[in-house]
């Protein structure tokens, strides 16, 4: 098993045929997706030169190091090497801080104050309520704040939201932001759509494929 958000996890495939040789050789390494928790199966097939084939697979369990289901009365700090899930119904009464090397998955939970993350390995926020600002920067893996799917709906953010300088891709879909929203200088592809932003929306300086509409905006828009 590996922790959620762990980077560079790969399965090694080795195939050989000492008689006819291989017409299709799957040997090599295959990346294992660690952006969500659960079993991840890699399957590959080899075919020899006379038409025989064989298929094999391996399964890796991606898990959290800690799952929080109740109420935390004070602040929460996610430290390097931790992969924390705020499970449905969980509540944090203070601020949430994700330090460099930490990973946070918020699933239909409540944070009554701000959420700040710098240098995390992964940030995933689905169906949450955030009572303060949201500030996410330098995340090495994906940043997901709503995907517009039943498994990851949008969240409500009571103040401004800033998602900037994240190299691993950004998805920000279906959220209600009661302040302004800035999605700036990210890489790896950026999708910002179907959000309701009460004040200004800025989507600039992002590299890769950028989708920045439609959104409902109460202030000025500056988009790519």
């Amino acid at each position: 098993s590996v922790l959620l958000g762990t980077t560079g996890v790969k399965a090694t495939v080795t195939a050989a045929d000492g008689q006819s040789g291989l017409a299709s050789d799957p040997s090599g390494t295959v990346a294992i997706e660690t952006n969500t928790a659960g079993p991840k199966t890699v399957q590959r097939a080899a075919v020899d030169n006379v038409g025989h084939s064989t298929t094999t697979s391996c399964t890796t369990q991606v898990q959290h190091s800690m799952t929080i289901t109740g109420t935390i009365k004070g602040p929460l700090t996610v430290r390097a090497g931790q992969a924390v899930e705020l499970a449905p119904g969980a509540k944090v009464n203070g601020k949430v801080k994700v330090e460099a090397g930490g990973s946070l998955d918020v699933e239909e939970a409540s944070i009554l104050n701000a959420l700040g993350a710098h240098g995390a390995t992964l940030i995933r926020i689905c169906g949450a309520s955030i009572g303060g600002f949201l500030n996410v920067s330098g995340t090495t893996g994906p940043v997901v704040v709503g995907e517009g799917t039943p498994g990851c709906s949008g969240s409500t953010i009571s103040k401004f939201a800033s998602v900037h300088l994240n190299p691993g891709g950004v998805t920000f879909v279906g959220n209600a932001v009661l302040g302004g929203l800035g999605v700036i200088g990210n890489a790896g592809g950026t999708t910002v759509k179907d959000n309701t932003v009460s004040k200004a929306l800025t989507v600039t300086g992002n590299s890769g494929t950028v989708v920045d509409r439609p959104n409902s905006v109460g202030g000025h828009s500056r988009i790519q």
Side-chain angles (χ1 to χ4, degrees):
S1 63
V2 298
L3 290 180
L4 181 81
T6 303
T7 59
V9 180
K10 297 180 180 180
T12 300
V13 180
T14 303
D17 188 301
Q19 297 180 359
S20 68
L22 292 174
S24 175
D25 185 354
S27 297
T29 58
V30 182
I32 297 173
E33 188 267 306
T34 61
N35 298 336
T36 56
K40 309 296 179 179
T41 299
V42 172
Q43 180 173 289
R44 290 294 184 269
V47 182
D48 67 16
N49 285 314
V50 293
H52 300 122
S53 65
T54 185
T55 300
T56 190
S57 65
C58 69
T59 299
T60 300
Q61 184 70 31
V62 179
Q63 62 186 21
H64 302 93
S65 60
M66 180 188 303
T67 298
I68 297 170
T69 58
T71 298
I72 294 179
K73 295 182 179 180
L76 170 66
T77 299
V78 180
R79 305 191 186 281
Q82 291 184 319
V84 175
E85 178 191 23
L86 291 177
K91 181 184 293 186
V92 180
N93 289 339
K95 294 181 179 180
V96 174
K97 178 182 179 182
V98 185
E99 296 182 344
S103 171
L104 179 65
D105 182 1
V106 184
E107 300 287 341
E108 300 180 13
S110 299
I111 299 169
L112 301 189
N113 209 305
L115 193 167
H118 178 69
T121 59
L122 182 144
I123 297 294
R124 180 177 173 85
I125 303 171
C126 304
S129 174
I130 300 174
F133 65 79
L134 171 67
N135 191 338
V136 181
S137 65
T139 302
T140 56
V143 175
V144 175
V145 186
E147 289 183 317
T149 63
C152 188
S153 60
S155 299
T156 299
I157 302 162
S158 296
K159 295 187 178 180
F160 72 84
S162 175
V163 182
H164 61 284
L165 300 177
N166 299 284
V170 171
T171 303
F172 199 104
V173 176
N175 303 283
V177 182
L178 305 187
L181 170 60
V183 183
I184 302 169
N186 302 287
T190 299
T191 299
V192 181
K193 68 175 185 177
D194 300 329
N195 301 287
T196 299
V197 182
S198 296
K199 296 184 179 180
L201 170 64
T202 302
V203 183
T204 62
N206 303 288
S207 61
T209 302
V210 176
V211 177
D212 54 19
R213 55 180 66 100
N215 295 283
S216 175
V217 182
H220 296 292
S221 292
R222 182 186 176 194
I223 56 179
Q224 289 177 281

